[in-house]
Amino acid sequence: MKTEKIAKKKLEKPYVYNPLAPSKAAFYSAIFPGMGQIYNKKYWKAPIVWGALALPVYYYQINNSDYKRYRNAYRLRKNGLPDEFIVDGVEIVSTQTLETAQEQLRENRDMSLLTGVILYILQIVEASVNAHLIQFNTDDNLTIKPQLIMDPIRIETPSIGFTFKYNF
């Protein structure tokens, strides 16, 4: 009688391991960022991924447009032509400042691109790892139960230890 209840309990909750789930989640995230998180049914993570990837794109566009603006002004000034930073024949920004700003903006633009690529790769890895962890077996037989072990000889300095209980 008892074995029938155990057998029914095991049949009610079948555990199906899908070895392709992590690769599917990674593939979906590579195709469209956040889609792997949606595939893993972690819907709340998708807006975080989109926001995290939107920031480097935003800063890339701003730095790139400013870089082109300063580069264009620097080239015009080197050729002896007026640029947007010369008002009524007076240089508002010096040639050295144009060159320095151009180098700094290019560095910022490249750093934004690198940050975006790293975040893109991290969200793919996160979707794959999450898909692996969803399939991780969390039965009660696999739990770790830490316990405080009191040593009656050393009351002033208690010993701390762990008891591991596992069943196969």
Side-chain angles (χ1 to χ4, degrees), residues 17-30 36 39-40 123-136:
Y17 176 74
N18 183 2
L20 296 179
S23 61
K24 273 186 181 179
F27 176 73
Y28 290 153
S29 280
Y39 173 76
N40 290 335
Q123 65 93 24
I124 294 172
V125 170
E126 192 278 331
S128 176
V129 168
N130 196 349
H132 274 290
L133 292 177
I134 286 173
Q135 298 187 63
F136 188 71

Side-chain angles (χ1 to χ4, degrees), residues 17 26 34 38 48 72 77 86 96 105 107 113 138 154:
Y17 176 74
I38 293 171
I48 294 171
N72 188 31
R77 186 142 331 149
I86 297 177
Q96 180 63 34
L105 287 167
E107 186 178 314
L113 180 64
T138 57
R154 297 183 189 171

Side-chain angles (χ1 to χ4, degrees), residues 38-116:
I38 293 171
Y39 173 76
N40 290 335
K41 294 181 176 55
K42 304 287 184 180
Y43 304 109
W44 62 273
K45 290 183 180 180
I48 294 171
V49 168
W50 297 329
L53 289 174
L55 282 173
V57 169
Y58 173 74
Y59 283 114
Y60 178 86
Q61 289 176 344
I62 287 177
N63 288 318
N64 192 39
S65 65
D66 287 344
Y67 167 71
K68 288 179 181 178
R69 190 172 139 220
Y70 279 89
R71 185 186 64 187
N72 188 31
Y74 179 76
R75 286 182 175 172
L76 287 172
R77 186 142 331 149
K78 281 295 188 182
N79 290 327
L81 299 171
D83 58 69
E84 67 177 289
F85 298 108
I86 297 177
V87 179
D88 297 329
V90 178
E91 288 183 2
I92 298 172
V93 179
S94 69
T95 306
Q96 180 63 34
T97 304
L98 285 175
E99 187 175 5
T100 305
Q102 178 181 337
E103 291 171 5
Q104 185 64 46
L105 287 167
R106 183 178 60 232
E107 186 178 314
N108 291 347
R109 179 196 65 182
D110 295 346
M111 193 58 69
S112 296
L113 180 64
L114 179 64
T115 303

